[in-house]
Structure formats: structure tokens, C-alpha cells
Amino acid sequence: MASGGGKALTQFEAELYDRGIRVWGVDAQQRLGSSAVLALGMTGCCAEVCKNLALAGVSSIVVLDGAAVTEVDPCSNFFLTADDVGKNVRACLLLLLFVFEL
């Protein structure tokens, strides 16, 4: 696959990220693949952004949140359930974000 500023995309990556490549080009997709993001506080909005970044191919997402899931969190964060109340927000969401990265 064509190489711009970063590491060349493999055939698998080109097929996986085909939609993104058509929208913003190979060079931008390569830069996404070598990007790192720091997420401060895992609100519902932040969880959605992290999910979309993982699906777009961002290389690394670091989540910084030491809060526990409250009873209202599952109402605004579709990744959380009532069973998560009292657990660490970061721990509950990291597994899900990892699954999206696969």
C-alpha cells in the first residue's frame, strides 16, 4: 500500500480502514495509526469519542479516570450497566475499548 509520512499500511489495514482512507486519504489514516490520545475522565461523551477513535485506527488511547461508576452513569454512558455501579470506570471501559481495537 502507498506510504506517506508514516509506516505503510498493510493490505489488511487498507481493507479494514477502507472507508476512512476514502474519506481522508492514506496519509491521514497512517497518521491516525501512529497517534496517541489521552482521555481525561470517562464521561458518556468521552467514551463515545474513544470508541470512534479506536474504530478509526488510533494506535493508543490512555484513559485517566479513578472514579467509581455511579447509579446515573449507565444513563449517559452506553458502555456501562447497572452491574458496573461501584466499579472503577476505567476498568469497566478498557476491555470494551480493547475489543473495538481488535
Side-chain angles (χ1 to χ4, degrees):
M1 191 76 212
S3 177
K7 183 183 86 170
L9 295 174
T10 65
Q11 184 63 32
F12 174 76
E13 290 170 326
E15 291 172 10
L16 181 64
Y17 302 121
D18 178 63
R19 184 177 295 170
I21 291 169
R22 286 185 277 142
V23 171
W24 47 68
V26 173
D27 187 53
Q29 186 63 51
Q30 289 171 321
R31 284 183 277 146
L32 269 173
S34 62
S35 298
V37 174
L38 172 62
L40 301 173
M42 196 47 82
T43 63
C45 180
C46 190
E48 177 69 18
V49 168
C50 287
K51 177 200 67 145
N52 290 333
L53 289 172
L55 290 172
V58 168
S59 174
S60 173
I61 300 172
V62 176
V63 177
L64 182 62
D65 192 333
V69 177
T70 66
E71 291 180 3
V72 297
D73 286 337
C75 298
S76 64
N77 190 330
F78 64 89
F79 284 120
L80 299 173
T81 67
D83 294 336
D84 294 326
V85 172
K87 297 178 185 174
N88 181 276
V89 173
R90 178 179 173 269
C92 294
L93 297 175
L94 281 182
L95 180 60
L96 293 168
L97 289 173
F98 178 74
V99 169
F100 280 113
E101 186 65 21
L102 297 176

